[in-house]
Amino acid sequence: MNPQTPDQEAPYVLRTDEEGIATLTLNRGSQFNSLSQAMIAALQGQLDAIAADPTVRVVVIGGAGKAFCAGHDLKEMRANRHKAFMQDLFRRCGRMMMTLTQMPQPVIARVHGIATAAGCQLVSMCDLAIAADMARFATSGINVGLFCATPGVGLSRNLGRKQALEMLLTGDFIDARTAQQQGLVNRVVASDALDAEIDKLARSIIGKSSVAIGMGKQMFYRQLEMGLEAAYQYAAEVMACNMMTEDAGEGIDAFIGKRQADWKGR
């Protein structure tokens, strides 16, 4: 039996829960939290469990060590040079990325260090992102002869086309402020203020109706893929259904009565 290093023995993803906030930490800092098969599977398992857990209102995804996530595990990919392996890897990764948008809870990326290639994709697929001012972002696959096609899906839905293509074609890093200006992250703060800023954002969301948040998140992503007329028809139906919820009635009554709403999540 081969001895394992402490890093190998530890769970790939750590989960902590506190007052409705589930924090997932990619836990392979010595490997820059690369998205190996095992890491993807661990993250998928945690996301599936959280999606079915109504006590969780917000999800935060961060990374251990110096990096947020450096993308796919290139050594693992080189050791498995079969098309079937590659197809399965990218299919599983795509499913995990889609889960981020399909689960009812808003997901916040906590980006404290570099986010490259599929790590940058992970940031782009989270609903929200807060970065430390020292964080940097790149789709660097092109530097090793690999166009970051799957990261480009998320990137092109956050940035303008020319900004996204510049990142994809050059592999150059952008800093946190540039990432904010171009739409990849919401806020940039000093490293020592990162957790406080994430907590502030998470608690603002938790203070709202969970049923409205869940319906709204689902509507937001679906309407993005529709034409304008179809999007308005769909949004109108969602608003009508939302208005029929108990929370909407409670929220309006509380507003009129100038009191705090008592959300029921239904």
Side-chain angles (χ1 to χ4, degrees), residues 117-222:
C120 191
Q121 177 187 5
L122 182 58
V123 176
S124 73
M125 293 301 290
C126 289
D127 304 306
L128 304 165
I130 298 181
D133 53 10
M134 299 299 292
R136 296 191 300 157
F137 306 82
T139 46
S140 48
I142 199 67
N143 294 328
V144 296
L146 182 66
F147 188 85
C148 282
T150 46
V153 174
L155 207 64
S156 64
R157 284 162 170 75
N158 283 248
L159 281 63
R161 290 186 181 183
K162 286 181 171 58
Q163 287 84 4
L165 267 173
E166 182 173 346
M167 289 188 69
L168 292 163
L169 293 172
T170 67
D172 291 343
F173 277 95
I174 61 172
D175 61 24
R177 293 294 179 189
T178 302
Q180 182 185 26
Q181 292 166 3
Q182 295 186 357
L184 185 58
V185 303
N186 297 85
R187 306 177 190 179
V188 176
V189 296
S191 296
D192 59 3
L194 185 58
D195 288 327
E197 192 68 17
I198 289 173
D199 188 69
K200 176 182 175 183
L201 178 58
R203 294 191 185 283
S204 177
I205 295 168
I206 289 173
K208 311 304 188 296
S209 161
S210 62
V211 67
I213 292 288
M215 292 176 71
K217 175 177 170 176
Q218 181 182 61
M219 182 282 302
F220 179 80
Y221 286 110
R222 285 189 177 180

Side-chain angles (χ1 to χ4, degrees), residues 35-37 39-41 43-44 47 69 71-72 85-100 117-119 121-122 125 150-151:
L35 293 178
S36 62
Q37 277 192 322
M39 179 67 83
I40 292 169
L43 190 51
Q44 183 71 62
L47 294 174
C69 177
H72 288 291
F85 174 87
M86 301 301 174
Q87 289 173 324
D88 183 65
L89 174 68
F90 293 124
R91 180 183 62 80
R92 291 176 184 273
C93 187
R95 176 176 174 249
M96 183 270 290
M97 297 289 181
M98 286 299 297
T99 300
L100 296 169
Q121 177 187 5
L122 182 58
M125 293 301 290
T150 46

Side-chain angles (χ1 to χ4, degrees), residues 32-112:
F32 301 102
N33 302 313
S34 60
L35 293 178
S36 62
Q37 277 192 322
M39 179 67 83
I40 292 169
L43 190 51
Q44 183 71 62
Q46 292 287 0
L47 294 174
D48 287 343
I50 289 171
D53 186 350
T55 67
V56 177
R57 299 292 313 283
V58 175
V59 183
V60 176
I61 297 180
K66 295 181 179 180
F68 171 73
C69 177
H72 288 291
D73 187 334
L74 296 180
K75 290 183 179 180
E76 179 182 71
M77 293 168 71
R78 287 296 289 166
N80 296 274
R81 298 180 63 186
H82 310 288
K83 188 175 181 180
F85 174 87
M86 301 301 174
Q87 289 173 324
D88 183 65
L89 174 68
F90 293 124
R91 180 183 62 80
R92 291 176 184 273
C93 187
R95 176 176 174 249
M96 183 270 290
M97 297 289 181
M98 286 299 297
T99 300
L100 296 169
T101 65
Q102 293 168 345
M103 62 196 304
Q105 301 94 338
V107 183
I108 304 172
R110 178 194 183 276
V111 192
H112 72 290

